[in-house]
Amino acid sequence: MFTGLIESTGTVRSMAPTAEGFRLCVDTDLVGELTLGDSIATNGVCLTVVEVGDAGFEAEISPETARVTALGGLAAGHRVNLERPMRADARLGGHFVQGHVDATGHVQAILPEAEYHRVRLAYPTSLAAYLVSRGSIAVDGVSLTIAALDTETFDVQIIPFTWEQTTFGRYREGDTVNLECDILGKYVVRALEVAAPGAG
């Protein structure tokens, strides 16, 4: 379980194909805090640390994870958002983020607003029931509030700190991002589906 408050960013050293998917190597200043078997959210995807080196860690990405998330498009030099799992005694400053990506979206527009940036993201219709105005969403692992919502896109407003300390400052129109909807909303929608007449 994560909070969507990014601890650090890392730089992809390599993304190497293997017989069973990919091997991702990321250089990060969090390396001294990582051990084998740890979970780490990488652009919002929960991965397992399988090797720790002097400068970073390695994780394995299955073909399915590469297919349904934006991780399959990573290459050497790409910057990624990193967060270790929340501790049981920690404050929850963002929202409950599982690291289980629901779908990918695309950056449609980046609109400067004084010192802020409004980012408009296109999302698949399969997520429509889980998105609400002023609700929470994780974009590449960053906990954000939906500032505007329509049938095909939603906006988030990025403060300068987040713009500089996460991958948002490097986004360009057309970029693919990982989206994870609020787990509380997903449970509500599922409960209503099961309780609906004729649901069985």
Side-chain angles (χ1 to χ4, degrees):
M1 186 73 73
F2 306 91
T3 68
L5 300 183
I6 302 304
E7 287 188 270
S8 184
T9 58
T11 302
V12 175
R13 185 192 304 172
S14 63
M15 177 75 165
T18 66
E20 299 178 347
F22 295 90
R23 185 94 165 192
L24 173 66
C25 181
V26 177
D27 291 336
T28 173
D29 57 10
L30 293 178
V31 64
E33 308 296 326
L34 300 175
T35 60
L36 291 180
D38 281 354
S39 294
I40 186 164
T42 306
N43 274 1
V45 182
C46 182
L47 299 178
T48 300
V49 174
V50 298
E51 188 169 328
V52 179
D54 293 336
F57 70 91
E58 296 187 20
E60 293 175 349
I61 300 174
S62 72
E64 179 67 5
T65 299
R67 184 184 71 82
V68 301
T69 74
L71 293 189
L74 291 177
H78 282 182
R79 190 180 180 191
V80 291
N81 297 320
L82 300 173
E83 182 190 356
R84 291 173 296 162
M86 66 176 295
R87 298 183 342 190
D89 63 347
R91 290 187 177 92
L92 180 61
H95 72 281
F96 291 119
V97 177
Q98 294 185 299
H100 303 161
V101 170
D102 292 304
T104 57
H106 296 90
V107 177
Q108 190 177 85
I110 300 173
L111 310 168
E113 294 183 339
E115 70 270 33
Y116 301 91
H117 290 83
R118 180 176 289 261
V119 179
R120 183 159 297 144
L121 298 147
Y123 67 90
T125 56
S126 59
L127 301 188
Y130 311 114
L131 302 180
V132 296
S133 182
R134 306 295 183 262
S136 295
I137 189 163
V139 178
D140 272 351
V142 183
S143 175
L144 297 166
T145 300
I146 295 173
L149 176 66
D150 64 26
T151 56
E152 296 181 343
T153 66
F154 66 88
D155 291 5
V156 291
Q157 192 172 56
I158 309 301
I159 64 173
F161 181 86
T162 302
W163 186 259
E164 295 166 4
Q165 300 298 320
T166 72
T167 55
F168 268 89
R170 298 193 178 189
Y171 287 157
R172 298 295 179 266
E173 292 182 8
D175 283 355
T176 303
V177 296
N178 295 315
L179 302 176
E180 182 185 334
C181 300
D182 188 352
I183 184 62
L184 301 179
K186 288 189 280 190
Y187 275 120
V188 169
V189 171
R190 178 58 179 158
L192 293 172
E193 289 174 345
V194 172

